[in-house]
Structures are given as structure tokens and as C-alpha cells.
Amino acid sequence: MDLRQLRYFVTVADERHFTRAAARLGISQPPLTQQIQALELEMGLKLFVRSTRRVELTEPGRVFATEARAILARLPQAVALAQRTERGLAGKVRVGFTESASFNPLVIDSLRAFRAAFPEIELEIEENVSTRMAAALEAGELDAAFLRPPLQSKGVVVLDPIGSEALVAALPRDHRLARRRSLSLPDLADERFILYRRMVGPGLADQVMEACEAAGFSPVVAQETPQLSSTIALVAAGLGVSIVPEGMAQVRPQAVAYVPITGLALRARLALARRSGEISPAVQNFIAVVKGGEH
């Protein structure tokens, strides 16, 4: 069965006459009759009851005619959708981000800009830790992910740096340093630290440890947390201090003071991870929007 046979069948069903249907289709009657017979043979049923003057649809023929018309009516839409998909104007992009990345203005602006530029593309969003997103990228379950480098991968994932942001000290509001306009890392040498668990996101945790050691001390880690929001919650509870990307300053501002750190060369890096090799036009457009807004 093919689309030509469906068009032939619907035309005969509309005309109720093979000769008129053949004329409308621009073919001779014998090939039309042969195609309808082949269709009936393939389906194993009679679609028409023939008489000398006209043909009538059988009950199965009426049901099939309704569905065939719907298929043919949707064909231009299906072709147009496929063409838009080929140009990256339709389809789906599955995007992941770490919790800290979700507070970065670049991520928010990229999602907003992509939605405005490509309104027909479905965005499927997932928040998770870096290690799980790397596995999802490798398995083809995600198309791209905003995360903090480095990323451990089996070579399937490409990491494109797209920006960075300052690291700031997160302190309980009643902390002795909370009212400072800025501080240096050595000012925190005697503090108890709450840090993001390294096993689920090594990039940011390693940067904080390296920065402290470069400042001449090894931080005392009082607590490890699975998410940065948990880190901020424990800081708000007075259980310690932390060093976080400045975008996290939106979290619990009434209970936590975010103080700039002077002399800190390290910044929280942000990257867009994607699968290597061939990617869909929609994903290509998403990457182009993100890289166009990087800073």
C-alpha cells in the first residue's frame, strides 16, 4: 500500500465512478482499476460494490475512506514539519543543568533566547548532578548540559567552556565577618567549611580546596552536602561557612551573607557538555544560541 493508492481510492470514493475518477487523476481507467483491485487484494476485503453506472462504498470502504482522507489531509503538514525539523526549527532538545548552573544568568538568558528564537522546538529540562548528566549524555538520554568542569567521560562527551563567575563566601548572617564589604581567603582559615560533595560534582569542590590550599591552609570540612542549596541551608543554620558561585546569592539572602573574596584568582567555570559526533539541527541551533551569549 502506498500514498498513490490512497489518493486513487479516495478519488474513486468521492466520484463514485471509475471513469470520472480516472479523468480527475489524469490517468486512464485500466491502471486505476488495477490499483484499486491490488489495494483490495492487499487488504483482503471489498472496498466498493460495482454496478454498470456507478460504484458504492462498502461499509469497510466507508470506514477506510474516512481514515484515508485524514491521512492525506495530514500529509502536507507532515512534510512541512519534517522540513522544519531538517532546518532545526522543530523537534526536541533535552537539556540538563547542575543546581548551581541554574542560577547563572547565562543559563537563564540562553534558555529564554532559545525559546524566543525557536518557539516550535520542545525543551525538555532536567536538573541533576554532573556525574549523572555525563552518564545521560553518554547514553543518549540528554543532548546538552550546563555544568561545572572538569567532567569525567569515556570520550563520548565534548565540553565547551562558555563562561565563569566569581566565587564568594557564604556566611551566616550573624557571623563576625558577615558585614564586611570583602574578605580574603586567609580570613576563613579557622572556619568550619560546608562543601559540595566531591563525588557528585568534583569541579567546584576541587576549586574551593585548591584555592584554600593556595592561600596557605587546608579547610576543615565539617559537612559535605549533595546539593549547593543544601550547603546554603546549613550555612543559614550556622553550621559553617562555604565558598559558592556568586549566582547562588539569590538563595536565602535573609539568612546568609554573600561576601566577595579579594585576591581569589580562581573562578567557577561553566561549560556546555554535549555528545560528540553527529547531532540534530535543533541541538546545533541550541548550541549556537548558548555560545552566542557566552561571556
Side-chain angles (χ1 to χ4, degrees):
M1 184 185 303
D2 56 34
L3 289 174
R4 181 184 59 174
Q5 288 177 317
L6 285 183
R7 284 195 291 267
Y8 286 3
F9 165 73
V10 167
T11 304
V12 175
D14 290 342
E15 295 291 340
R16 297 292 202 274
H17 199 281
F18 273 87
T19 302
R20 289 198 301 269
R24 179 173 157 188
L25 291 165
I27 62 174
S28 61
Q29 182 176 335
L32 174 59
T33 302
Q34 291 171 3
Q35 289 297 323
I36 295 300
Q37 289 173 342
L39 181 60
E40 290 179 320
L41 182 62
E42 180 180 346
M43 296 179 67
L45 51 84
K46 282 288 186 182
L47 298 172
F48 295 104
V49 177
R50 297 159 176 82
S51 68
T52 55
R53 294 189 175 184
R54 60 186 288 122
V55 295
E56 295 292 341
L57 286 164
T58 63
E59 184 61 27
R62 280 192 289 272
V63 172
F64 186 59
T66 300
E67 299 301 321
R69 289 188 184 99
I71 292 171
L72 293 174
R74 283 183 53 83
L75 183 59
Q77 179 183 349
V79 172
L81 179 60
Q83 292 171 338
R84 292 198 301 275
T85 301
E86 173 65 22
R87 298 196 301 272
L89 302 177
K92 177 191 290 188
V93 179
R94 300 162 299 175
V95 181
F97 49 75
T98 64
E99 184 186 40
S100 69
S102 67
F103 289 94
N104 186 285
L106 173 60
V107 175
I108 298 169
D109 292 344
S110 294
L111 295 176
R112 183 185 297 114
F114 185 74
R115 169 56 62 229
F118 301 97
E120 291 185 61
I121 296 180
E122 178 185 354
L123 270 177
E124 188 174 287
I125 305 297
E126 175 182 335
E127 180 182 315
N128 219 319
V129 297
S130 295
T131 50
R132 291 178 185 167
M133 285 195 295
L137 285 165
E138 291 171 349
E141 297 167 357
L142 278 180
D143 298 310
F146 295 96
L147 43 76
R148 307 285 182 184
L151 182 69
Q152 295 178 351
S153 172
K154 300 174 183 177
V156 180
V157 178
V158 176
L159 209 58
D160 294 323
I162 57 173
S164 65
E165 60 185 307
L167 292 168
V168 299
L171 312 169
R173 273 291 175 187
D174 59 358
H175 192 278
R176 59 186 177 83
L177 300 174
R179 296 183 180 275
R180 295 269 294 268
R181 295 176 63 89
S182 64
L183 52 80
S184 65
L185 268 183
D187 291 332
L188 302 175
D190 297 327
E191 301 294 331
R192 293 168 62 83
F193 276 73
I194 301 168
L195 294 181
Y196 189 49
R197 189 172 297 156
R198 187 184 184 282
M199 63 179 295
V200 295
L204 190 57
D206 283 351
Q207 282 188 288
V208 171
M209 296 296 289
E210 290 168 4
C212 292
E213 289 171 2
F217 70 98
S218 294
V220 176
V221 180
Q223 183 73 48
E224 289 187 332
T225 59
Q227 295 179 320
L228 274 174
S229 59
S230 304
T231 300
I232 300 302
L234 295 185
V235 170
L239 301 185
V241 304
S242 191
I243 297 174
V244 300
E246 64 179 344
M248 296 298 296
Q250 305 171 57
V251 182
R252 293 180 177 266
Q254 295 81 16
V256 177
Y258 297 91
V259 182
I261 303 172
T262 59
L264 183 60
L266 289 177
R267 295 173 63 86
R269 294 171 290 162
L270 186 66
L272 183 68
R274 58 180 173 82
R275 286 178 58 82
S276 60
E278 185 175 348
I279 54 178
S280 74
V283 176
Q284 292 176 25
N285 286 338
F286 180 77
I287 293 170
V289 168
V290 174
K291 293 180 72 66
E294 65 185 81
H295 60 275

